Amino acid sequence: MTDYAEEQRNELEAIESIYPDSFTVLSEVPTSFTITVTSDAGENDETIEVTLQFTYVEKYPDEVPLWEIYSQENLEDSDAEGILTLLQQQAEENLGMVMIFTLVTAVQDKLNELVDEINRREEEKRRKEEAAEEAEKVLFQGTVVTIENFLSWKAKFELEMAELRRKRQKEEEQQQAGKIKLTGKKLFETDHNLDTSDIQFLEDSGNSVEVDESLFQDLEELDLDEDDPDFDPLALGSDED
């Protein structure tokens, strides 16, 4: 017949010697105690800490003990639920054997995994920040010119210029082919500056036309029969002579 009380006393002595600074007896009947489990330190020296409370049942270890999270620090509630599930799995796998040390070790490993996950997130965050800083530096500093990227830029530039010249030449050829030779009348109709071009030319060159107004003073006194088909204005001058 199994002496459950004896096995429980022996385990308590072993647990106390393994966790002298984190083991605390809460009561003797029923036997209840706490063990504080602390993770390894993270990059920022932060740790995750959880205090587990165990209570022996009468037929432990043939029956699983009772457990609960007595207190916690830096532990998310979702992770706390995960720890309780882990304890249940480990207890079922070790049923029939003293298991407190095994349960505490499983929780210790879980807390270290959580710290590692936090470290990975922090590292990823730091890499993104560094990448953003580098991108900002490149934006302000520009691209460093090397022989390779200069030659690549030069070849691309020459291709673009050749294409631009080809387009301009094609446009000029199209414009030249579309021109229509205008007559003198069309030139005057399309360019009104031609109406005064001769006068403007004389004024710009400093020449002016002087008119002797006395030559036209007696024209009003003359009886000119302009309707007469035999009228000869040259004959007027000959009569006076």
Side-chain angles (χ1 to χ4, degrees), residues 19-215:
Y19 306 105
D21 298 327
S22 59
F23 173 79
T24 303
V25 176
L26 299 180
S27 66
E28 294 184 358
V29 181
T31 303
S32 181
F33 54 91
T34 61
I35 299 175
T36 300
V37 186
T38 305
S39 70
D40 295 335
E43 291 187 357
N44 298 324
D45 294 330
E46 292 185 358
T47 60
I48 300 176
E49 185 176 283
V50 60
T51 299
L52 303 173
Q53 179 179 346
F54 295 100
T55 302
Y56 287 151
V57 295
E58 182 180 357
K59 294 183 179 181
Y60 172 82
D62 286 340
E63 294 179 1
V64 298
L66 303 177
W67 59 75
E68 63 180 274
I69 295 178
Y70 190 78
S71 65
Q72 64 190 63
E73 183 177 346
N74 297 329
L75 180 67
E76 300 290 339
D77 291 340
S78 58
D79 294 327
E81 290 296 329
I83 288 176
L84 293 176
T85 301
L86 175 64
L87 289 171
Q88 182 65 40
Q89 294 172 348
Q90 291 293 317
E92 292 175 356
E93 292 176 3
N94 293 274
L95 193 62
M97 300 179 292
V98 290
M99 63 183 73
I100 300 302
F101 175 78
T102 301
L103 298 181
V104 172
T105 300
V107 172
Q108 176 79 60
D109 293 340
K110 182 62 177 179
L111 296 184
N112 289 337
E113 289 177 5
L114 294 175
V115 169
D116 291 340
E117 179 62 27
I118 293 174
N119 290 340
R120 283 193 294 269
R121 289 198 297 264
E122 290 294 331
E123 179 65 22
E124 181 65 21
K125 180 181 178 181
R126 182 165 56 250
R127 282 199 299 266
K128 289 182 179 180
E129 291 175 350
E130 291 176 354
E133 291 177 0
E134 287 297 324
E136 187 175 1
K137 288 180 182 178
V138 170
L139 180 63
F140 284 101
Q141 294 177 355
T143 303
V144 178
V145 178
T146 64
I147 294 177
E148 289 78 8
N149 60 29
F150 172 76
L151 292 176
S152 176
W153 170 85
K154 183 174 181 292
K156 182 179 179 181
F157 175 76
E158 290 176 347
L159 288 175
E160 292 176 352
M161 293 303 297
E163 179 65 17
L164 182 60
R165 287 193 294 269
R166 186 188 67 77
K167 289 182 179 180
R168 287 181 177 176
Q169 183 178 359
K170 184 176 181 181
E171 291 175 357
E172 291 175 357
E173 291 175 353
Q174 291 176 346
Q175 292 176 358
Q176 189 67 25
K179 286 184 177 179
I180 300 176
K181 186 175 181 180
L182 300 178
T183 63
K185 180 179 180 181
K186 290 293 184 180
L187 287 173
F188 274 101
E189 290 177 350
T190 56
D191 189 354
H192 297 292
N193 290 328
L194 294 176
D195 298 346
T196 59
S197 60
D198 291 341
I199 297 175
Q200 186 64 38
F201 172 75
L202 291 174
E203 291 178 353
D204 294 341
S205 61
N207 297 324
S208 61
V209 178
E210 296 182 0
V211 179
D212 188 354
E213 297 179 359
S214 63
L215 297 176

